Amino acid sequence: MATPEQRRAWNEQAEKERRAARMAAAKKCGHEEWAKLPETRRMARMMKRDQYFTGRKCPQCSRYSPRETVTDRCLSCKDGFVRRHKPETLTVAHRFARMADLIESTGRLHRMGLNKVIRKTDVVVDPAGARAACEEAGRRSERTGRLHVVVHQRGRWVVRERRENAT
Ligand SMILES: [Zn+2]
């Protein structure tokens, strides 16, 4: 068992290394100003800043880039996404396609909030059928103008309308 002093020292050391890695990453990209951004989304929200920079590579595009506070999207990914799809075609269906990708790659249930932000949950799911359900949720959401959700019940994927107060 480590003493509280030891643990504190380790944490301090880890934080120092994280800060150095973050600065090195920003420098490597030729954007030292990124190191001045908040380090986490939580901090960015508290500081009312639009972007934050973790100093770690984006898990999706493997590039260093600030992330948008509101959407939690990496700017580098967003840039590529917008280039591939005209902005007016950035629809809820695209978000559900993204959700299917995430469910398949992680094996965890994901949820979409009313703000359309996708969040990972700890619920382990069988991804088989997730993509079809996500596509259906996207279609129904667009047709009705009301956000639908994908739930996993008794081993089956179910699409239903999102209840206003549901989390
Ligand atoms: Zn990215």
Side-chain angles (χ1 to χ4, degrees):
M1 271 297 269
T3 65
E5 289 74 28
Q6 271 174 321
R7 237 173 285 144
R8 201 171 313 128
W10 291 340
N11 286 343
E12 269 170 28
Q13 181 60 26
E15 200 186 314
K16 214 186 273 175
E17 282 168 16
R18 208 165 52 232
R19 264 204 306 268
R22 197 165 161 269
M23 176 57 90
K27 237 180 213 166
K28 198 167 125 189
C29 299
H31 288 283
E32 282 175 57
E33 73 278 10
W34 289 353
K36 295 199 185 89
L37 291 170
E39 193 177 343
T40 64
R41 190 177 184 204
R42 191 195 177 93
M43 280 164 66
R45 275 181 171 152
M46 282 193 312
M47 296 158 74
K48 307 233 181 298
R49 300 285 297 272
D50 295 338
Q51 298 174 3
Y52 65 98
F53 182 62
T54 65
R56 292 185 303 276
K57 280 184 181 169
C58 165
Q60 269 80 49
C61 68
S62 302
R63 280 176 287 193
Y64 292 109
S65 171
R67 300 181 78 87
E68 230 173 34
T69 310
V70 172
T71 62
D72 200 19
R73 188 192 280 284
C74 142
L75 294 187
S76 191
C77 279
K78 188 186 169 196
D79 192 36
F81 193 73
V82 171
R83 243 187 280 124
R84 281 195 307 280
H85 305 278
K86 290 196 214 97
E88 61 268 28
T89 65
L90 281 176
T91 59
V92 71
H94 284 107
R95 293 175 195 268
F96 273 107
R98 172 91 196 104
M99 189 152 96
D101 290 343
L102 291 167
I103 292 169
E104 285 178 354
S105 63
T106 62
R108 304 284 166 142
L109 184 64
H110 283 64
R111 291 188 200 286
M112 194 186 300
L114 281 176
N115 52 5
K116 313 279 197 320
V117 173
I118 301 169
R119 287 181 199 291
K120 186 179 174 189
T121 73
D122 293 330
V123 181
V124 176
V125 290
D126 175 3
R131 186 161 300 272
C134 286
E135 282 170 4
E136 181 61 27
R139 273 197 299 274
R140 283 200 220 170
S141 299
E142 296 199 330
R143 199 174 61 227
T144 62
R146 291 188 301 272
L147 192 62
H148 280 60
V149 291
V150 171
V151 291
H152 197 249
Q153 282 173 343
R154 297 186 194 90
R156 285 195 327 125
W157 291 97
V158 179
V159 177
R160 60 168 164 74
E161 195 174 321
R162 189 185 197 284
R163 286 191 300 264
E164 283 305 308
N165 298 321
T167 46

